[in-house]
Amino acid sequence: MALRFKNSFTRTKEEFRPIDEGKVRMYTCGPTVYNYAHIGNFRTYMFEDLLRRYLKYKGYDVTQVMNLTDIDDKTIRDSQKEGVSLKEFTDRYTKAFFEDIDSLGIERAEYYPPATEHIPEMVVLIQKLVENGLAYEVDGNYYFRISAFKDYGKLAHIDMDGLKAGARVAADEYEKDSVSDFALWKAWDEADGDVYWETELGKGRPGWHIECSAMSMKYLGETFDIHTGGVDNMFPHHENEIAQSEGATGKKFVNFWMHSEYLIVEGRRMSKSAGNFYTLRDLMEKGFSGVAVRYLLLSTHYRQQLNFTLTGLDAARKALERYLDFISNLADYVGGVSSGGEAEQVIRKVKSGFEDALDDDLNISGAMGVIYDFIRDINRLKAEDRLSIEERDQALETIRKIDTVLNFTYNEANLDIDEEIDSLIAQRTEARKNKDFALADKIRDDLIARGIILEDTAQGVKWKRKV
Ligand code: AMP
Ligand code: ZN
């Protein structure tokens, strides 16, 4: 089956074809680095990780750009409140962002351009819009004139006729029912303090929307394959990006628009302003691992709302444990007789089922269902001792290939403390032999405190990481 995505622009599922064969260029709106990201934000970045990893699984060479918004109303306001420079303030949260995506096993994009390092590109773009009659200046501020851009509203499906256009907003975000000319450049005022650039547009700073047009086109070209974000980005942010980019180049900006649904808490969108948020750090303090949060965020289809509860996270952790135990037990399995073709059939079924599901607009729930069938079937063959070593190896290879997309095993892979653990396990075995059970228990408890669980099996002591 061909790879298909629901395109928010056309509201239909379309077959995905990149502009250049074998290559995908995609832009994903990134964080405003004014605080720790919450897991609602990470839901969107997790969807993008799945998209990226699946495209790579399909053999595409992916170039992904994610911007870092290190200048806007919020970063200025909060850095001033703390009395530190904008750079010192945003560097702190940029660093935290990268730590968090590493904890979540989110693969790094090829580019993370910060807005403050692309002011000249934004100025050139604004000048081009003025030249094309789409932007105008009032007291050193530059605005986009939406009435002059005939396609405004096409992405968010806004009927411009019934709306009173022409009002201006300086703020970066606004509502659908008051469609407004929006700020491309804001003249310096006292509230900005020492945050400004002296440019051909005057002394000031860019609005929020212009950065994504300038940086996406710089790294990906004037027309590229995929642009993503959360549903809240669709309007006005992405609508404005289209207006700015197409208004400047006269070319189609993006072929596929994809938007992920919200993570919600008790019926409300998780957000900083509502105060109903958890950061990844909050959850880790409660004893959950990054990979358990990854499982939870990844395993609901991106176009469905995900209702977050701690009970749900605990259930995700248990399901993850089952998956991880399956892989580690399979690796330890010494093999029985051949299944006479049954294993091969089970393997073929999981491969095609996994791909059919993800080809269908990243249907992850379908894909997970197929994987749990596979786990059940292979476990049954194992229990009947009807899985040869060759068949076991093929099953392992298959699940490992699938795991390049799911990435649920990265905790184990990243362990660089194996030797130390092995030596502690040897000390514990020695202590037990000497009947020093107090020492043996202490070693086990110390390891548990570090998130390492020991299991005494017929093949000796095994350990695994708590998830
Ligand atoms: P922001 O830092 O507010 O610009 O948000 C960064 C990203 O997180 C954007 O792509 C938003 O669409 C996304 N986002 C914010 N809140 C949520 C939520 N509750 N669920 C899913 N995505 C969200
Ligand atoms: Zn953006």
Side-chain angles (χ1 to χ4, degrees):
M1 201 165 59
L3 179 58
R4 290 151 83 236
F5 296 137
K6 170 109 185 244
N7 187 346
S8 311
F9 196 85
T10 57
R11 301 286 198 271
T12 53
K13 263 190 213 170
E14 294 170 20
E15 182 175 343
F16 175 71
R17 284 178 193 279
I19 298 162
D20 294 326
E21 207 186 314
K23 293 200 167 96
V24 178
R25 286 174 284 144
M26 66 180 213
Y27 189 84
T28 49
C29 286
T32 305
V33 281
Y34 76 114
N35 210 321
Y36 298 106
H38 57 68
I39 55 164
N41 302 129
F42 285 120
R43 182 189 190 194
T44 294
Y45 307 139
M46 195 60 81
F47 142 65
E48 291 152 355
D49 190 54
L50 174 64
L51 173 61
R52 169 191 171 85
R53 285 174 180 276
Y54 191 56
L55 287 165
K56 287 175 75 171
Y57 175 99
K58 297 283 281 185
Y60 290 108
D61 175 10
V62 175
T63 305
Q64 180 191 357
V65 178
M66 178 177 276
N67 64 306
L68 301 170
T69 301
D70 58 351
I71 163 92
D72 79 327
D73 301 345
K74 292 181 284 197
T75 45
I76 294 177
R77 180 194 67 200
D78 290 358
S79 61
Q80 287 174 348
K81 225 187 271 171
E82 248 191 54
V84 297
S85 73
L86 183 67
K87 173 131 179 59
E88 184 182 340
F89 183 78
T90 55
D91 276 355
R92 182 198 308 156
Y93 294 111
T94 301
K95 186 167 162 276
F97 171 72
F98 285 116
E99 285 167 5
D100 287 352
I101 61 171
D102 287 349
S103 300
L104 289 168
I106 292 177
E107 190 167 61
R108 297 282 177 112
E110 280 60 36
Y111 299 96
Y112 288 99
T116 52
E117 288 174 24
H118 296 77
I119 306 293
E121 288 86 345
M122 297 183 218
V123 170
V124 169
L125 194 56
I126 296 167
Q127 286 172 323
K128 182 86 187 142
L129 291 171
V130 173
E131 221 175 274
N132 292 357
L134 290 164
Y136 58 94
E137 190 234 305
V138 183
D139 299 334
N141 299 298
Y142 285 77
Y143 295 94
F144 189 95
R145 191 191 305 280
I146 58 170
S147 60
F149 184 72
K150 67 173 180 17
D151 286 338
Y152 197 84
K154 288 248 167 91
L155 173 67
H157 289 213
I158 293 171
D159 179 6
M160 298 294 288
D161 289 345
L163 291 166
K164 195 167 95 346
R168 282 192 298 270
V169 286
D172 286 326
E173 293 175 63
Y174 54 92
E175 301 297 325
K176 263 190 193 174
D177 52 6
S178 61
V179 175
S180 316
D181 286 3
F182 58 92
L184 299 163
W185 183 261
K186 305 183 191 197
W188 179 84
D189 68 27
E190 271 168 25
D192 291 336
D194 60 358
V195 179
Y196 61 83
W197 283 262
E198 294 276 9
T199 73
E200 287 174 40
L201 300 174
K203 175 176 171 175
R205 62 176 173 101
W208 168 38
H209 312 291
I210 195 74
E211 72 180 75
C212 286
S213 286
M215 301 197 291
S216 60
M217 292 198 289
K218 170 170 177 172
Y219 292 95
L220 300 173
E222 291 176 341
T223 306
F224 54 90
D225 300 299
I226 305 178
H227 194 314
T228 71
V231 276
D232 58 320
N233 286 152
M234 194 184 310
F235 190 87
H237 185 51
H238 291 162
E239 198 69 64
N240 291 352
E241 278 190 47
I242 294 175
Q244 294 165 148
S245 305
E246 298 192 357
T249 68
K251 294 180 190 153
K252 187 173 187 192
F253 178 42
V254 166
N255 285 341
F256 278 80
W257 286 91
M258 295 172 75
H259 293 96
S260 61
E261 256 301 339
Y262 289 137
L263 182 138
I264 57 170
V265 188
E266 286 163 6
R268 289 182 70 195
R269 170 190 170 190
M270 180 175 283
S271 71
K272 292 218 175 84
S273 52
N276 60 350
F277 65 90
Y278 283 105
T279 63
L280 178 62
R281 287 144 203 264
D282 294 335
L283 296 175
M284 288 175 113
E285 264 170 35
K286 288 186 184 297
F288 291 101
S289 62
V291 64
V293 179
R294 176 182 181 86
Y295 189 101
L296 180 79
L297 296 180
L298 196 76
S299 53
T300 297
H301 190 277
Y302 77 95
R303 282 193 292 102
Q304 265 171 19
Q305 291 196 337
L306 166 60
N307 185 30
F308 178 78
T309 61
L310 288 173
T311 323
L313 179 53
D314 205 44
R317 193 181 59 71
K318 292 202 178 90
L320 171 66
E321 224 166 24
R322 180 151 176 250
Y323 174 96
L324 294 176
D325 284 351
F326 168 74
I327 297 179
S328 92
N329 292 337
L330 189 59
D332 289 340
Y333 180 66
V334 287
V337 298
S338 161
S339 69
E342 218 176 304
E344 197 188 324
Q345 221 178 341
V346 168
I347 288 169
R348 218 176 314 122
K349 202 169 89 191
V350 74
K351 268 192 195 152
S352 63
F354 178 75
E355 290 176 18
D356 285 351
L358 291 185
D359 278 352
D360 182 15
D361 195 29
L362 302 177
N363 176 6
I364 188 72
S365 348
M368 293 308 296
V370 168
I371 291 168
Y372 284 108
D373 287 347
F374 169 75
I375 291 178
R376 187 202 54 217
D377 291 344
I378 293 291
N379 278 343
R380 179 177 47 79
L381 292 174
K382 258 176 62 189
E384 294 167 359
D385 271 329
R386 291 199 302 126
L387 190 72
S388 68
I389 279 291
E390 292 75 26
E391 289 171 329
R392 179 205 71 170
D393 286 348
Q394 280 158 15
L396 265 180
E397 195 188 307
T398 306
I399 192 76
R400 285 190 176 132
K401 176 92 201 299
I402 284 175
D403 197 68
T404 61
V405 179
L406 303 178
N407 197 32
F408 292 150
T409 54
Y410 65 98
N411 250 346
E412 276 77 2
N414 286 349
L415 275 188
D416 48 14
I417 50 170
D418 297 30
E419 273 180 31
E420 191 200 340
I421 293 169
D422 287 344
S423 128
L424 285 168
I425 290 174
Q427 284 173 38
R428 175 171 170 267
T429 310
E430 188 61 27
R432 284 168 58 143
K433 221 161 59 192
N434 298 334
K435 305 226 177 313
D436 186 351
F437 296 111
L439 176 62
D441 288 350
K442 184 178 180 314
I443 293 173
R444 193 197 55 211
D445 292 345
D446 287 352
L447 283 169
I448 287 175
R450 291 169 58 185
I452 306 292
I453 298 165
L454 300 188
E455 277 176 345
D456 296 306
T457 72
Q459 285 89 35
V461 183
K462 275 179 64 178
W463 63 268
K464 66 179 183 182
R465 180 168 271 256
K466 183 173 174 296
V467 293

Short mmCIF file of all heavy atoms in Angstrom, two decimals, residues 30 32 80 98 135 199 202 230 232 235 252 331 401 414-415 452:
data_model
loop_
_atom_site.label_atom_id
_atom_site.label_comp_id
_atom_site.label_asym_id
_atom_site.label_seq_id
_atom_site.Cartn_x
_atom_site.Cartn_y
_atom_site.Cartn_z
N GLY A 30 8.91 24.64 16.43
CA GLY A 30 9.57 24.21 17.66
C GLY A 30 9.14 24.99 18.89
O GLY A 30 8.18 25.75 18.86
N THR A 32 8.99 27.55 22.17
CA THR A 32 9.37 28.88 22.65
C THR A 32 10.15 28.61 23.93
O THR A 32 9.61 28.04 24.88
CB THR A 32 8.11 29.71 22.94
OG1 THR A 32 7.31 29.72 21.77
CG2 THR A 32 8.49 31.14 23.32
N GLN A 80 13.21 39.54 31.68
CA GLN A 80 13.27 40.81 32.42
C GLN A 80 12.83 40.62 33.86
O GLN A 80 13.41 41.18 34.79
CB GLN A 80 12.40 41.87 31.74
CG GLN A 80 13.01 42.38 30.46
CD GLN A 80 12.09 43.32 29.72
OE1 GLN A 80 10.90 43.42 30.05
NE2 GLN A 80 12.62 44.01 28.74
N PHE A 98 16.74 20.12 24.99
CA PHE A 98 17.51 19.02 24.40
C PHE A 98 17.68 17.86 25.39
O PHE A 98 17.65 16.70 24.99
CB PHE A 98 18.86 19.52 23.88
CG PHE A 98 18.72 20.28 22.59
CD1 PHE A 98 19.03 21.63 22.51
CD2 PHE A 98 18.23 19.65 21.46
CE1 PHE A 98 18.87 22.33 21.31
CE2 PHE A 98 18.06 20.34 20.26
CZ PHE A 98 18.38 21.69 20.19
N ALA A 135 2.84 44.36 2.55
CA ALA A 135 3.15 44.79 3.92
C ALA A 135 3.25 46.31 3.94
O ALA A 135 3.54 46.93 2.91
CB ALA A 135 4.47 44.17 4.36
N THR A 199 18.26 47.63 12.10
CA THR A 199 18.23 47.06 10.75
C THR A 199 17.72 48.09 9.76
O THR A 199 17.34 49.20 10.16
CB THR A 199 17.29 45.84 10.67
OG1 THR A 199 15.93 46.32 10.72
CG2 THR A 199 17.53 44.86 11.81
N GLY A 202 14.62 49.69 10.68
CA GLY A 202 14.65 50.51 11.88
C GLY A 202 15.06 49.67 13.07
O GLY A 202 15.46 48.51 12.95
N GLY A 230 1.14 21.50 16.15
CA GLY A 230 -0.09 21.14 16.84
C GLY A 230 -1.27 21.85 16.18
O GLY A 230 -1.07 22.83 15.45
N ASP A 232 -3.31 23.90 17.26
CA ASP A 232 -3.40 25.33 17.60
C ASP A 232 -2.51 26.18 16.70
O ASP A 232 -2.72 27.38 16.58
CB ASP A 232 -3.02 25.56 19.07
CG ASP A 232 -1.62 25.06 19.38
OD1 ASP A 232 -1.25 23.99 18.87
OD2 ASP A 232 -0.90 25.75 20.13
N PHE A 235 -4.05 28.10 12.99
CA PHE A 235 -4.48 29.50 12.87
C PHE A 235 -4.14 30.27 14.14
O PHE A 235 -4.43 29.78 15.23
CB PHE A 235 -5.99 29.60 12.61
CG PHE A 235 -6.37 31.00 12.25
CD1 PHE A 235 -6.30 31.42 10.94
CD2 PHE A 235 -6.72 31.91 13.24
CE1 PHE A 235 -6.59 32.74 10.62
CE2 PHE A 235 -7.02 33.22 12.92
CZ PHE A 235 -6.95 33.63 11.61
N LYS A 252 4.05 27.95 -4.42
CA LYS A 252 3.44 27.16 -3.37
C LYS A 252 4.48 26.91 -2.28
O LYS A 252 5.62 26.53 -2.57
CB LYS A 252 2.94 25.83 -3.95
CG LYS A 252 2.14 25.04 -2.95
CD LYS A 252 1.52 23.82 -3.59
CE LYS A 252 0.60 23.14 -2.60
NZ LYS A 252 0.19 21.81 -3.04
N ALA A 331 15.73 -12.94 23.13
CA ALA A 331 17.19 -12.96 22.91
C ALA A 331 17.84 -14.07 23.73
O ALA A 331 18.87 -14.63 23.33
CB ALA A 331 17.78 -11.61 23.26
N LYS A 401 13.88 -4.12 13.81
CA LYS A 401 13.65 -3.19 12.68
C LYS A 401 12.43 -2.32 13.01
O LYS A 401 12.44 -1.10 12.81
CB LYS A 401 13.42 -4.01 11.40
CG LYS A 401 13.07 -3.21 10.17
CD LYS A 401 14.31 -2.85 9.38
CE LYS A 401 14.21 -1.67 8.44
NZ LYS A 401 13.34 -1.62 7.37
N ASN A 414 21.50 2.49 25.58
CA ASN A 414 22.37 3.58 26.01
C ASN A 414 23.15 3.28 27.28
O ASN A 414 23.90 4.12 27.75
CB ASN A 414 21.56 4.85 26.24
CG ASN A 414 21.15 5.46 24.92
OD1 ASN A 414 21.66 5.05 23.90
ND2 ASN A 414 20.26 6.42 24.95
N LEU A 415 22.91 2.14 27.85
CA LEU A 415 23.56 1.88 29.14
C LEU A 415 25.07 1.75 28.97
O LEU A 415 25.56 0.91 28.24
CB LEU A 415 23.02 0.58 29.75
CG LEU A 415 21.74 0.73 30.55
CD1 LEU A 415 21.42 -0.57 31.25
CD2 LEU A 415 21.88 1.84 31.58
N ILE A 452 17.60 -0.45 38.61
CA ILE A 452 18.01 -1.73 38.00
C ILE A 452 17.35 -2.87 38.78
O ILE A 452 17.52 -2.98 39.99
CB ILE A 452 19.54 -1.91 38.05
CG1 ILE A 452 20.27 -0.72 37.42
CG2 ILE A 452 19.96 -3.24 37.41
CD1 ILE A 452 20.09 -0.57 35.94
#
